[in-house]
């Protein structure tokens, strides 16, 4: 009798352990995240397979709420306020459901995030509903997949793809507004003692339509911390935006007198990136005149002259750079640049 009871206890214990045994999920869990500007968007879902079944209108019935995945309802998290399908939605985590039809889909973002599937879905808990148009695809997606397409600093398209259907919805973030709000907070902390942070803020404000009076204060604060090439140029950019071209030119001239070799080089490459080749060449010629024995300065001038199409000038600068270079890797790279000019 004791042996029987012991066997029964062991069997019960083994059965309990077996129930907790971790086995492969028929619809594996997955997570996909994307940063839009500084906004993080994360979708957590399970990936069912087609497995030879008819999906749309049968396995996933038309006209009924669906969990947009398998097992627990799919969730989507936004780290900031966004617009989904052109409509505003607050930051947070939402249960993601849909009502598919043959022509269009209604997407629902529910404040209830712990539901199993859509069995207890309640429209009263929706924070947002949007209608989107699905599109047929040439290729079939065996397992349900979420991805982000058409990414920019302010927008992305979230796509649910399964079988031969893709369901897109746009997600937009007011990135400039968010960055500026974030910068204001950061500049009140330890970051607010760094001139680099203020000059970056000035440049962002000017490029993205930030308040000009605020950009002025940011530039002034950068100069208070340290007067150098970057801070003087930041202030000059503000003055230029205000229409004070003479004062801006005077500050830029002053900035040149205090610029380091590296600062002049970086500024020139920024100009090259902006397709201002002649301005970049002038800056690099200044750099070379101050640092005639710098292989890097000569090399950069050669690159700018080559970008302009001045092969003779570029070849002369590269030749000087090659004579000054000490690192074998630098020599090899400069030799390649010279060879390219001759080809």
């Amino acid at each position: 009798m004791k042996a029987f009871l012991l066997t029964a206890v062991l069997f019960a214990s083994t059965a309990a352990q077996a129930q907790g045994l971790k086995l492969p999920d028929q619809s594996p869990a997955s997570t996909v995240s994307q940063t839009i500007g500084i906004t993080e968007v994360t979708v957590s879902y399970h990936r069912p397979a087609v497995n030879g079944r008819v999906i749309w209108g049968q396995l996933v019935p038309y006209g009924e709420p669906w969990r947009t995945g398998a097992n627990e309802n799919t969730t989507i998290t936004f780290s900031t306020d966004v617009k989904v399908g052109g409509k505003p939605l607050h930051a947070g985590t939402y249960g993601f459901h849909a009502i598919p039809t043959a022509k269009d889909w209604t997407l629902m973002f529910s404040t209830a995030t712990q539901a199993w599937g859509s069995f207890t879905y309640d429209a009263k808990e929706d924070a947002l509903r949007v209608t989107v148009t699905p599109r047929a695809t040439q290729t079939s997606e065996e397992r349900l997949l979420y991805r982000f397409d058409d990414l920019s600093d302010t927008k992305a398209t979230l796509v649910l793809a399964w079988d031969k259907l893709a369901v897109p919805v746009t997600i937009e973030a007011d990135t400039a507004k968010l960055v500026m709000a974030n910068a204001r907070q950061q500049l009140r902390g330890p970051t607010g003692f760094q001139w680099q942070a203020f000059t970056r803020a000035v440049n962002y404000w000017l490029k993205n339509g930030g308040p000009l009076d605020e950009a002025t204060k940011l530039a002034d604060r950068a100069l208070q911390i340290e007067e150098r090439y970057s801070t003087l140029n930041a202030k000059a950019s503000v003055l230029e935006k205000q229409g004070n071209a003479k004062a801006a030119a005077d500050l830029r001239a002053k900035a040149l007198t205090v610029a380091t070799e590296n600062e002049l080089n970086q500024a020139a490459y920024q100009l090259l990136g902006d397709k201002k080749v002649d301005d970049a060449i002038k800056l690099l010629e200044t750099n070379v005149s101050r640092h005639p024995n710098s292989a890097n300065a000569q090399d950069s001038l050669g690159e700018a002259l080559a970008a302009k199409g001045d092969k003779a000038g570029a070849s002369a600068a590269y030749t000087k750079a090659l004579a000054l270079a000490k690192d074998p890797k630098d020599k090899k790279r400069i030799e390649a640049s010279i060879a390219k000019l001759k080809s």
Side-chain angles (χ1 to χ4, degrees):
M1 185 67 176
K2 288 182 179 180
F4 173 79
L5 289 174
L6 179 60
T7 301
V9 170
L10 288 172
F11 176 80
S13 175
T14 302
Q17 290 177 20
Q19 288 178 359
L21 188 65
K22 190 171 182 64
L23 298 173
D25 196 333
Q26 288 186 343
S27 299
S30 185
T31 301
V32 60
S33 296
Q34 181 61 59
T35 302
I36 305 172
I38 61 171
T39 298
E40 296 288 339
V41 182
T42 300
V43 181
S44 297
Y45 66 109
H46 286 75
R47 303 184 62 190
V50 174
N51 199 24
R53 299 173 292 184
V54 177
I55 302 300
W56 309 117
Q58 290 195 22
L59 182 66
V60 178
Y62 287 143
E64 298 179 14
W66 175 53
R67 71 190 84 184
T68 66
N71 303 335
E72 300 95 333
N73 62 212
T74 298
T75 63
I76 183 167
T77 301
F78 306 98
S79 66
T80 72
D81 293 352
V82 293
K83 283 186 177 181
V84 179
K87 296 181 180 181
L89 184 63
H90 288 305
T93 298
Y94 299 92
F96 188 35
H97 305 263
I99 299 176
T101 73
K103 292 184 177 180
D104 56 34
W105 283 38
T106 300
L107 306 182
M108 298 93 79
F109 297 83
S110 173
T111 55
T113 61
Q114 301 297 319
W116 180 267
S118 296
F119 300 106
T120 61
Y121 167 76
D122 187 343
K124 294 178 183 178
E125 296 172 322
D126 285 351
L128 177 68
R129 279 189 169 209
V130 297
T131 301
V132 298
T133 303
R135 62 173 183 264
T137 59
Q138 295 296 318
T139 58
S140 180
E141 200 71 57
E142 172 63 21
R143 285 195 178 274
L144 186 147
L145 172 72
Y146 283 92
R147 68 172 189 267
F148 290 89
D149 292 345
D150 309 319
L151 178 65
S152 73
D153 282 346
T154 59
K155 183 188 293 187
T157 300
L158 175 64
V159 179
L160 181 163
W162 194 23
D163 196 12
K164 289 189 174 182
L165 198 70
V167 185
V169 62
T170 59
I171 299 172
E172 300 171 80
D174 192 344
T175 299
K177 181 180 178 181
L178 292 167
V179 168
M180 291 177 196
N182 187 55
R184 291 183 189 107
Q185 292 299 317
Q186 286 186 303
L187 291 172
R188 296 183 68 178
T191 304
F193 295 93
Q194 302 170 8
W195 61 264
Q196 298 94 329
F198 281 97
T199 56
R200 291 187 69 188
V202 171
N203 293 331
Y204 192 87
W205 254 244
L206 295 179
K207 185 178 180 180
N208 294 279
L212 200 51
D213 59 340
E214 192 172 20
T216 302
K217 293 177 182 177
L218 292 168
D220 289 341
R221 179 61 183 138
L223 278 170
Q224 288 172 5
I225 296 173
E226 189 172 340
E227 187 175 291
R228 56 186 300 146
Y229 179 80
S230 296
T231 57
L232 288 165
N233 265 299
K235 179 65 175 181
S237 295
V238 172
L239 290 168
E240 195 170 59
K241 192 77 170 179
Q242 291 172 332
N244 195 341
K246 185 181 184 309
D250 290 343
L251 269 188
R252 292 192 195 284
K254 182 178 181 181
L256 284 175
T257 65
V258 298
T260 65
E261 178 189 348
N262 189 48
E263 285 174 331
L264 287 174
N265 214 46
Q266 287 182 351
Y269 274 107
Q270 180 63 51
L271 290 169
L272 282 175
D274 294 336
K275 308 300 182 183
K276 298 178 180 179
V277 179
D278 288 337
D279 291 337
I281 290 172
K282 289 179 182 178
L283 210 54
L284 290 168
E285 286 174 341
T286 299
N287 211 15
V288 165
S289 68
R290 292 185 190 176
H291 309 282
N293 295 320
S294 169
N296 188 51
Q298 297 282 4
D299 182 26
S300 298
L301 177 58
E303 186 175 342
L305 290 168
K308 187 178 180 180
D310 183 354
K311 290 188 176 182
S315 180
Y318 279 139
T319 300
K320 291 178 183 177
L322 184 60
L324 293 166
K326 296 180 180 179
D327 190 321
K329 291 182 180 179
D330 288 338
K331 286 180 177 290
K332 187 175 181 179
R333 178 177 50 77
I334 296 168
E335 286 171 347
S337 297
I338 294 172
K340 186 177 180 181
L341 285 173
K342 295 177 179 179
S343 63

